[in-house]
Amino acid sequence: MNTSQRLIWNIYAGIVGALTTVAAAKLVSKVWELTTGDEPPLPNDPEVPLRRAITWAVASGLGVGLAQLLMNRFAANQWTRIMGTPAPGFGNAGRSR
């Protein structure tokens, strides 16, 4: 894969990743509000109970992480479909069996 394709991939993956992170964070916050009836806590605030801060940290981490995983896989599949080659860093290279 040439340097220009790597650059295009990095730009594409960066934009997709940033948009996914923002959207996932908003979605996780809305789900939190619907589930608890409260706004998400500020985990660094010493007035927020530790259990609530940890619960929020785990929920938001899982939500954003899962969204990024799914979107990275989608982006790599789209790259392969459009470009005809695996996305840089994807494909059979680096797989352990």
Side-chain angles (χ1 to χ4, degrees), residues 43-62:
N44 294 325
D45 183 353
E47 298 295 317
V48 173
L50 183 59
R51 174 183 268 173
R52 189 165 178 83
I54 290 172
T55 302
W56 168 245
V58 169
S60 62
L62 284 173

Side-chain angles (χ1 to χ4, degrees), residues 1-10 76 79-80 83-91:
M1 176 153 312
N2 64 37
T3 304
S4 63
Q5 282 185 325
R6 286 187 185 277
L7 178 62
I8 292 168
W9 168 253
N10 287 336
W79 176 276
T80 301
M83 301 298 282
T85 61
F90 291 83

Side-chain angles (χ1 to χ4, degrees), residues 4-88:
S4 63
Q5 282 185 325
R6 286 187 185 277
L7 178 62
I8 292 168
W9 168 253
N10 287 336
I11 292 169
Y12 172 64
I15 291 170
V16 168
L19 293 174
T20 300
T21 300
V22 170
K26 287 184 181 202
L27 179 62
V28 170
S29 292
K30 290 295 179 190
V31 170
W32 179 274
E33 289 176 18
L34 290 172
T35 305
T36 66
D38 297 325
E39 289 186 15
L42 299 172
N44 294 325
D45 183 353
E47 298 295 317
V48 173
L50 183 59
R51 174 183 268 173
R52 189 165 178 83
I54 290 172
T55 302
W56 168 245
V58 169
S60 62
L62 284 173
V64 171
L66 181 61
Q68 287 177 340
L69 170 85
L70 295 174
M71 192 51 69
N72 285 340
R73 292 175 63 97
F74 173 78
N77 285 333
Q78 291 303 307
W79 176 276
T80 301
R81 185 179 65 76
I82 293 168
M83 301 298 282
T85 61

